[in-house]
Amino acid sequence: MNPDNEDSIHDFLQSQIADTPLSLNSELSNKGVKFNHRDDFEEIKSFIDNFIDGNNVNRYIVLPGLRGVGKTTILFQAYEYLINQKNVNPNQILYFSCEELNKIEDCDIYDTIKYYLKEFHNSSFQTVDEKIFLLIDEAHFDKDWSISGKLIHDKSKNIFMIFTGSSALNLEYNAEAARRMVRYPITPLNYSQHLKLKYGYQTDISNDLVDLLFNGNVENAIIKEKQVNRDLLNLRNYFSMDWDNYFKFGGFPAVMHDTNCRNASKKLYYSVEAVVTKDLGTMSNLTANTQTSALRLMKFLAEKYPGDISQNALANKIKTSAGTVNTIMDLLEKTHLLFHIEPYSGANARANKSWQYYFATPSIMHAINLKFGFSSISLSEYEGILLETLVASNLVNLKNSEKFFEFSIFYDTYKVKSKCVDFIVKKEFDDIIPIEVGHGKKDTSQIKDAIRRYKASYGIIISDTTKTIEKVDNVIFVPINTFSLI
């Protein structure tokens, strides 16, 4: 730490300690209505409770996630929980943003906390004898954030840390630090979470939809779906276009209360742009040309089907090298802006097949297209791509949640392309589950052919024209808005 800046750092920390409790109301409410907790907060609470109860194993928590998914809100909710429900003295809690600290001097989390303990607690890492809670936002502004966390973790068992930051946090962290930290990614909201945060409405239909997906059991899901539909009809302030707006403009708490969908979409685009131009530059030292290529690549991917694309074809399209494309795709996946699905075939065949790439949410894809204009594909085709993206996103988030069991997601590689279904899901040694996503009227010939080819017990059609869950013979029909609750 630069000695010339010590007075400024001292004033910054002092203001954070004094002002954070006073800012809770404005940070945790909108127009006087307090924000609800997303389900992830329960997991954060359990880490806090265990630490307070004397279990100091999991005390280095890292929450990566896209901008706007609510990470800062989780930190303020953790702060409020500590002082209001756990009776922790505010002097034992320090919240700060590394982006703000960076305006004073190059952010160094380790030296800042060392100074904080010395000046405000008259102690050091080794001698602090009271429990200290560090809530550190935008940690990626310190390129050595993971090492700082490791050193603090190793020097004191009385310090509990939550680091949040752009999903660029996924790009660089020390291997030694990784063994100490608990990484808990914060993903965009599914529709169940959206309803909980926006309207305070809760449903446990997710478990029954998982049972439908992996076991073909529809009875409980049908009962829950009817209940949800009844509840939404009577839900205060809920309006009929809410799901449509969520589908094309939602998934992010930061824009949830924006009544102008176009403004919400602009905010989403600028968040995406900031990941490339700001966060990736901070973490990976990308050149300006590579950042421009990354934005061009996302624009190209946003206006087409997520089908087979070679790295060379992408490189030609955006006028860069195949190696640069490979680097960009890897970085965008690590930041969770994109994810990929591999082909269903043997390991050798998979190596020779291109991956299919999807955006994290349909709203991100839609925001990019609204920014740059739509391609020549029809509206029907475009909405079909958005629906497919939503299903892929929900499946991948379900897989990554680790709440249920391990399973794999593939795309179909049957030689007759017109007979390929959109997704193949497989749990360990269980049967294959073919899934077709339909926009508009959808017949059953495609899914029945896949059921026959893969000797599946049943197949699933997820459609925007299906009104309610229905099972006809070995085909299960699920409305897209119901599936989005999974």
Side-chain angles (χ1 to χ4, degrees):
M1 181 179 293
N2 186 342
D4 295 337
N5 285 337
E6 282 196 1
D7 287 345
S8 296
I9 296 294
H10 189 282
D11 291 344
F12 172 78
L13 292 174
Q14 192 166 49
S15 69
Q16 292 300 115
I17 295 167
D19 295 346
T20 302
L22 303 177
S23 61
L24 290 179
N25 186 56
S26 61
E27 293 286 347
L28 297 179
S29 64
N30 177 60
K31 295 180 180 178
V33 179
K34 197 166 186 178
F35 296 148
N36 292 299
H37 295 120
R38 56 185 294 162
D39 291 348
D40 304 288
F41 184 69
E42 296 304 313
E43 192 74 17
I44 306 306
K45 270 173 51 178
S46 71
F47 292 131
I48 291 172
D49 291 345
N50 287 337
F51 175 73
I52 290 175
D53 291 341
N55 183 341
N56 55 28
V57 175
N58 296 323
R59 50 193 163 83
Y60 179 12
I61 315 301
V62 178
L63 309 180
L66 290 169
R67 290 168 176 264
V69 294
K71 304 180 301 295
T72 299
T73 298
I74 288 176
L75 286 188
F76 278 103
Q77 288 172 334
Y79 193 106
E80 182 186 55
Y81 177 70
L82 284 166
I83 61 175
N84 288 347
Q85 297 189 45
K86 306 308 287 187
N87 298 316
V88 175
N89 191 314
N91 290 333
Q92 295 171 242
I93 314 169
L94 176 64
Y95 163 85
F96 68 86
S97 164
C98 287
E99 184 174 21
E100 290 182 35
L101 182 61
N102 215 35
K103 293 174 182 177
I104 301 173
E105 69 167 29
D106 288 342
C107 183
D108 185 319
I109 292 171
Y110 181 82
D111 284 347
T112 300
I113 301 307
K114 182 179 178 181
Y115 180 85
Y116 162 73
L117 292 175
K118 182 182 78 169
E119 296 297 320
F120 293 89
H121 290 274
N122 195 30
S123 62
S124 65
F125 291 117
Q126 291 86 352
T127 61
V128 62
D129 59 0
E130 57 185 342
K131 292 188 183 299
I132 300 294
F133 298 85
L134 306 178
L135 309 176
I136 301 176
D137 211 359
E138 305 289 356
H140 57 277
F141 279 89
D142 177 356
K143 67 183 188 315
D144 295 321
W145 67 269
S146 68
I147 292 291
S148 294
K150 172 194 174 296
L151 292 172
I152 296 169
H153 175 278
D154 290 351
K155 287 178 179 290
S156 175
K157 293 185 177 180
N158 282 324
I159 298 178
F160 178 91
M161 302 171 285
I162 303 178
F163 287 15
T164 78
S166 158
S167 43
L169 284 178
N170 289 315
L171 296 179
E172 295 181 4
Y173 50 87
N174 178 270
E176 286 294 315
R179 286 197 282 270
R180 273 79 163 174
M181 69 175 69
V182 176
R183 290 179 66 257
Y184 191 92
I186 306 299
T187 61
L189 306 171
N190 65 14
Y191 196 50
S192 290
Q193 288 273 36
H194 168 89
L195 291 172
K196 180 182 179 184
L197 266 63
K198 189 170 183 179
Y199 300 103
Y201 175 74
Q202 289 187 258
T203 173
D204 60 353
I205 193 175
S206 178
N207 293 334
D208 300 294
L209 291 173
V210 169
D211 189 29
L212 177 154
L213 175 61
F214 289 102
N215 301 310
N217 298 327
V218 301
E219 292 80 9
N220 290 337
I222 289 173
I223 292 170
K224 291 284 179 61
E225 180 188 51
K226 289 179 180 177
Q227 183 64 54
V228 169
N229 289 338
R230 281 195 300 267
D231 291 345
L232 294 184
L233 282 174
N234 299 310
L235 187 61
R236 188 177 175 217
N237 296 326
Y238 183 82
F239 67 109
S240 59
M241 292 297 293
D242 184 77
W243 187 87
D244 299 271
N245 288 343
Y246 160 82
F247 174 48
K248 288 187 178 179
F249 304 98
F252 294 81
V255 299
M256 180 182 294
H257 298 284
D258 200 321
T259 55
N260 186 312
C261 290
R262 290 281 177 152
N263 286 342
S265 193
K266 286 178 182 177
K267 291 175 184 176
L268 283 181
Y269 173 75
Y270 289 122
S271 292
V272 169
E273 187 180 57
V275 171
V276 175
T277 61
K278 199 171 185 180
D279 300 339
L280 290 186
T282 300
M283 301 299 294
S284 297
N285 299 316
L286 292 188
T287 65
N289 285 339
T290 304
Q291 291 173 9
T292 300
S293 294
L295 292 172
R296 285 177 183 160
L297 180 60
M298 286 194 295
K299 176 183 178 296
F300 175 68
L301 293 174
E303 62 185 19
K304 65 173 300 301
Y305 278 104
D308 293 355
I309 318 171
S310 72
Q311 304 284 26
N312 287 330
L314 284 171
N316 290 334
K317 187 70 179 178
I318 64 173
K319 297 179 172 57
T320 189
S321 68
T324 299
V325 167
N326 188 54
T327 297
I328 292 170
M329 296 297 268
D330 181 58
L331 290 173
L332 292 178
E333 280 209 75
K334 285 178 177 175
T335 62
H336 293 174
L337 276 172
L338 298 178
F339 61 87
H340 78 268
I341 292 179
E342 297 183 25
Y344 181 75
S345 50
N348 291 334
R350 279 204 295 275
N352 295 323
K353 280 276 190 179
S354 297
W355 294 349
Q356 289 189 351
Y357 287 91
Y358 293 86
F359 285 91
T361 67
S363 58
I364 290 177
M365 177 182 167
H366 192 56
I368 294 171
N369 279 313
L370 282 176
K371 171 69 176 177
F372 293 105
F374 294 86
S375 68
S376 58
I377 63 174
S378 68
L379 175 62
S380 178
E381 287 178 305
Y382 179 69
E383 292 189 339
I385 298 171
L386 290 180
L387 289 174
E388 190 177 321
T389 300
L390 179 64
V391 172
S393 174
N394 280 350
L395 288 172
V396 166
N397 286 341
L398 183 68
K399 173 181 169 63
N400 292 339
S401 71
E402 301 180 353
K403 292 178 182 176
F404 298 99
F405 35 73
E406 281 289 323
F407 67 93
S408 300
I409 310 161
F410 305 98
Y411 71 88
D412 196 358
T413 57
Y414 185 55
K415 59 185 177 181
V416 182
K417 191 155 185 163
S418 63
K419 292 188 176 182
C420 287
V421 292
D422 292 308
F423 303 107
I424 290 171
V425 170
K426 194 173 191 310
K427 184 179 76 170
E428 297 174 341
F429 300 104
D430 289 359
D431 290 342
I432 281 172
I433 304 160
I435 298 175
E436 178 65 14
V437 182
H439 172 59
K441 190 172 182 180
K442 195 77 179 175
D443 64 39
T444 59
S445 59
Q446 207 167 344
I447 197 74
K448 285 184 175 180
D449 183 72
I451 291 170
R452 177 187 56 78
R453 282 190 283 115
Y454 292 114
K455 298 180 174 57
S457 300
Y458 58 91
I460 299 172
I461 294 179
I462 302 168
S463 168
D464 61 350
T465 55
T466 300
K467 300 301 181 186
T468 58
I469 296 170
E470 183 182 9
K471 189 172 186 178
V472 180
D473 298 326
N474 58 354
V475 178
I476 300 172
F477 297 85
V478 182
I480 183 66
N481 54 334
T482 298
F483 184 80
S484 66
L485 294 163
I486 197 168

